Amino acid sequence: MDAGGDFSQYVAVRWPRLVRSAVLLGCSHAEAEDVVQTALAKCLVQWSRVKQAGNIDAYVHRVLINTFISSRRRRWMGERPTAVLPETAAADETSRVDVTDAVLRVLDRLSRHQRTAIVLRYYAQMSEHQMAEILGVAPGTIKSRLSRALKVLADDPDMVELRGTP
Amino acid sequence: MMERELTDLLNSVADEVRVGPAPLGAVETRARGLRRRRIAGYSAASLVALGALVGGFTVVTQDEPNILVLEGPNDSGVRLVGVGHAAIAVPAAWPTMELECPGALYDSVVFDDGSATTCTPVPGPTAGVEIVRIVRGEPALVQPVEQAQINGVEVQRQVPRCNLVGDVSTCTGAVYIPSESVTFLVTSTTDPQTVHRLLDSIRIVPDRVGVPDSQTVNVAERGNAANAYIKALEGLGLSVEVTNQWRPKYPTGWILGVSPEAGTMLAPGSMVTLTVVGGPDPGESSDPQKPSLGISELPAWSEGCLDSYKTEGGICVPPVTDMGDPIIPVADLIRSATVTLKSAGATKVEPIDIGEQFTALQGTWGGGTAVIWVERSSVDSLADLKASRVFDIDGTKVSEVVQNPYDDIRQLWFQHDGLDWGIFVAEPNGLASNAHQTLRLAAQILAQ
């Protein structure tokens, strides 16, 4: 399959940021690379359509999010009911001061819609219109999700602590 | 203030993620494993071809005799679809749908009977999509409207105009043909020239008639649908052949299928084959096609369920119930739907090949548009699935899972050809109209 120079160039440039977006969406590092590879492969097989979309980044993010959702679903399917909850994989308490850990913990407390909106807006730097296109919702819905997510974050103790960190 | 801090925080976290060089080779390898599902498109070339055809198209027949097909330059297949003697030329690849939801995602022809509001809503128009709606009667044309003639027949033409819907420029024009009591309403999110070209392709074809749509008749006539439809066909000078199939939960006379499909322009005397719900064969006390479990175990289909026929695309889907419900075999109903998949709304499902992972619909997630994809998948044990419902399709147990932590994904799981299969549809609004898509996909996979 001929990837085409523009696809190769796009992947070379965007790969790190896409992987990091996937991490912020909730993937582990390895899972993030896997999800992004899958998403890019889907984009490659219809690259001409992607290019016609006008905003390649928005299109790729849309595929990325769909792929991420799929990966989440598959992982859940492997779960088993249990009478006793296993120990959680919560962050090491000793590392609470760690900014990365704290931010990811804060993101974990958001709903999926809110987390996606936050990552797209404030990390991927998508406009609200682009987000509406990516998520297939009205711009007003984007505003609403962002607003609610920001309120959750503003009230989050970890976030308050982070904001107070010099 | 908060926003800027958030951006900084996210960037600082992201920067902690060490990312190596892009694995382009691995991406290409994965891409090779995906088969591109071509969506019926309307390329610029075919638009040009369509424009070139206007006024001088060539009539040829293809696979089926008496079906009017137009062929243009560069083998750009174009076909006529219409009502009565009025027809519009569209690319042959465009599907014809007998029901539709607003904001369709694919180039298509739609028999619009006003049921659109009952279908799955989608957020808004998608750029680069052309929709031809065939509306019986006179719609409320939007000014400016011009008087014109097509092949000597008086028509009213709504001059194409474009408006911004969301952030998508949406161009609409129409031609109303009083003598045929039909309106061709063309919407394009490509450009106004596309609307002009399509409207210019409308023709009066005196020696052909369009196969009428059957869904409106089904809903309006219920048990008398077949008789009413046959009468309409015969009134158009068409011959009719009827095949009966027993569907115990559908009213006798319900039209299950029409061949050739609605809108096909046929010469008088051509044969139209109907598949109609009939009674059981003599001496049979139960549905001969029905698998394993008894009819008594079927849920009681209500009138409301039959009303869902249109929005469910041909399947009466029982309401989703709590987990742990008994097995509900609905194979008879699933068989009643064609497995040649067409859009039953804003979604369109392409035929699939076993062994391929693909995205059947490139839609959007999160706002009401269904996203369907199929994967060969692996779960530890299908028996462990917490199925909301279990269907029996040709003897294969198909488990449906609706409730999960990501509550907007409906899943179907089954085993076939030595593999575990999963069909998933993201349906944020939880609309049952997506259920039939997954069921029909499962039926199609199992039929291969």
Side-chain angles (χ1 to χ4, degrees), chain B residues 115-176:
Chain B
S115 65
T117 55
T118 66
C119 296
T120 307
V122 295
T126 303
V129 174
E130 279 70 58
I131 305 292
V132 172
R133 291 181 175 81
I134 300 176
V135 186
R136 301 304 302 265
E138 180 182 11
L141 296 180
V142 178
Q143 295 294 338
V145 175
E146 299 173 337
Q147 296 296 321
Q149 283 194 345
I150 294 179
N151 302 128
V153 174
E154 294 289 335
V155 304
Q156 296 174 19
R157 180 169 172 138
Q158 175 185 317
V159 179
R161 298 187 65 174
C162 302
N163 293 299
L164 207 57
V165 179
D167 57 354
V168 177
S169 176
T170 303
C171 307
T172 303
V175 165
Y176 168 52

Side-chain angles (χ1 to χ4, degrees), chain B residues 262-279:
Chain B
T264 306
M265 300 299 288
L266 297 178
S270 300
M271 182 68 72
V272 175
T273 302
L274 303 187
T275 303
V276 173
V277 175

Side-chain angles (χ1 to χ4, degrees), chain A residues 3 29 34 38 112 135-136, chain B residues 5 18 28 30 123 365 385 408:
Chain A
H29 190 170
D34 184 63
T38 301
R112 191 186 62 199
L135 300 178
Chain B
E5 292 171 346
R18 297 179 181 175
E28 290 177 350
R30 289 195 186 197
W365 161 76
L385 291 175
D408 53 6

Side-chain angles (χ1 to χ4, degrees), chain B residues 44-389:
Chain B
S46 64
L47 280 171
V48 172
L50 181 61
L53 282 166
V54 172
F57 46 72
T58 305
V59 178
V60 299
T61 57
Q62 289 193 330
D63 298 340
E64 296 184 61
N66 300 320
I67 294 179
L68 194 62
V69 176
L70 309 179
E71 287 191 343
N74 305 320
D75 295 322
S76 298
V78 179
R79 68 189 176 100
L80 285 180
V81 58
V83 167
H85 297 294
I88 187 169
V90 299
W94 286 18
T96 299
M97 300 183 285
E98 293 195 42
L99 47 97
E100 188 246 355
C101 295
L105 298 174
Y106 301 97
D107 302 335
S108 51
V109 179
V110 177
F111 277 90
D112 188 344
D113 65 352
S115 65
T117 55
T118 66
C119 296
T120 307
V122 295
T126 303
V129 174
E130 279 70 58
I131 305 292
V132 172
R133 291 181 175 81
I134 300 176
V135 186
R136 301 304 302 265
E138 180 182 11
L141 296 180
V142 178
Q143 295 294 338
V145 175
E146 299 173 337
Q147 296 296 321
Q149 283 194 345
I150 294 179
N151 302 128
V153 174
E154 294 289 335
V155 304
Q156 296 174 19
R157 180 169 172 138
Q158 175 185 317
V159 179
R161 298 187 65 174
C162 302
N163 293 299
L164 207 57
V165 179
D167 57 354
V168 177
S169 176
T170 303
C171 307
T172 303
V175 165
Y176 168 52
I177 306 175
S179 63
E180 299 289 347
S181 189
V182 64
T183 298
F184 294 93
L185 182 65
V186 176
T187 302
S188 169
T189 51
T190 301
D191 53 38
Q193 289 74 31
T194 300
V195 179
H196 279 290
R197 289 192 187 100
L198 284 163
L199 292 179
D200 288 345
S201 76
I202 295 172
R203 284 291 177 271
I204 303 298
V205 191
D207 60 345
R208 306 275 170 154
V209 292
V211 176
D213 64 305
S214 61
Q215 299 308 301
T216 308
V217 182
N218 261 343
V219 173
E221 301 288 342
R222 286 296 178 94
N224 193 43
N227 288 337
Y229 191 66
I230 290 169
K231 188 176 179 181
L233 290 171
E234 290 176 342
L236 292 169
L238 299 171
S239 301
V240 183
E241 183 177 79
V242 178
T243 300
N244 286 309
Q245 290 186 15
W246 187 32
R247 296 285 181 266
K249 294 301 176 183
Y250 280 80
T252 300
W254 191 271
I255 303 168
L256 297 170
V258 178
S259 178
E261 66 182 0
T264 306
M265 300 299 288
L266 297 178
S270 300
M271 182 68 72
V272 175
T273 302
L274 303 187
T275 303
V276 173
V277 175
D281 293 336
E284 293 191 3
S285 58
S286 63
D287 183 355
Q289 295 182 326
K290 191 179 178 309
S292 57
L293 300 180
I295 292 177
S296 61
E297 296 177 69
L298 281 166
W301 300 108
S302 63
E303 284 294 305
C305 201
L306 291 176
D307 285 337
S308 76
Y309 179 88
K310 292 184 66 178
T311 53
E312 302 297 341
I315 292 180
C316 189
V317 179
V320 176
T321 56
D322 294 334
M323 291 185 188
D325 273 6
I327 290 176
I328 304 171
V330 293
D332 51 344
L333 296 175
I334 290 168
R335 282 202 194 89
S336 73
T338 174
V339 292
T340 303
L341 299 173
K342 290 181 181 177
S343 171
T347 60
K348 178 173 184 291
V349 181
E350 291 289 314
I352 60 175
D353 295 325
I354 285 179
E356 292 295 326
Q357 175 182 331
F358 73 104
T359 302
L361 170 67
Q362 287 292 341
T364 53
W365 161 76
T369 301
V371 180
I372 295 180
W373 65 101
V374 177
E375 296 177 6
R376 287 186 307 169
S377 298
S378 175
V379 294
D380 293 338
S381 172
L382 291 179
D384 288 342
L385 291 175
K386 301 169 184 174
S388 296
R389 294 185 294 178

Side-chain angles (χ1 to χ4, degrees), chain A residues 1 3 7-8 11-12 15-17 19-20 23-24 29 33-34 37-38 40-42 44-46 48-49 59 62-63 65-66 69-70 72-74 76-78 80 99-100 103-104 107 112-113 116 118 122-123 125 129 133-137 145 150 153-154 159 162-163, chain B residues 1-3 5-7 9-24 26-28 30-32 34 36 39 106 123 167 357 359 362-369 371 373 375 377 379-381 384-386 401 403-409 411 413 424:
Chain A
M1 183 174 292
F7 178 79
S8 304
V11 172
W15 169 260
R17 199 155 186 88
V19 171
R20 288 165 176 153
V23 169
L24 292 175
H29 190 170
E33 294 207 352
D34 184 63
Q37 274 194 34
T38 301
L40 288 172
K42 290 176 180 176
L44 174 56
V45 297
Q46 52 184 359
S48 59
R49 176 181 286 263
Y59 197 107
R62 188 172 72 184
V63 177
I65 288 171
N66 286 338
I69 296 297
S70 176
R72 294 281 93 179
R73 177 263 314 145
R74 274 182 289 174
W76 175 79
M77 294 308 301
R80 290 282 189 281
V99 172
T100 297
V103 171
L104 291 177
L107 290 177
R112 191 186 62 199
H113 287 319
T116 303
I118 289 291
Y122 297 110
Y123 180 69
Q125 298 296 314
H129 274 293
E133 181 185 344
I134 292 169
L135 300 178
V137 299
R145 287 182 186 175
L150 289 172
L153 293 178
M159 198 64 184
L162 282 169
R163 295 178 69 189
Chain B
M1 182 180 66
M2 173 74 172
E3 287 85 347
E5 292 171 346
L6 198 48
T7 297
L9 282 170
L10 293 175
N11 277 316
S12 69
V13 171
D15 289 344
E16 293 294 316
V17 180
R18 297 179 181 175
V19 184
L24 187 59
V27 172
E28 290 177 350
R30 289 195 186 197
R32 276 193 287 271
L34 302 171
R36 179 176 181 173
I39 310 279
Y106 301 97
D167 57 354
Q357 175 182 331
T359 302
Q362 287 292 341
T364 53
W365 161 76
T369 301
V371 180
W373 65 101
E375 296 177 6
S377 298
V379 294
D380 293 338
S381 172
D384 288 342
L385 291 175
K386 301 169 184 174
V401 180
Q403 298 179 356
N404 64 45
Y406 309 98
D407 55 2
D408 53 6
I409 297 181
Q411 312 163 23
W413 291 89
F424 316 97

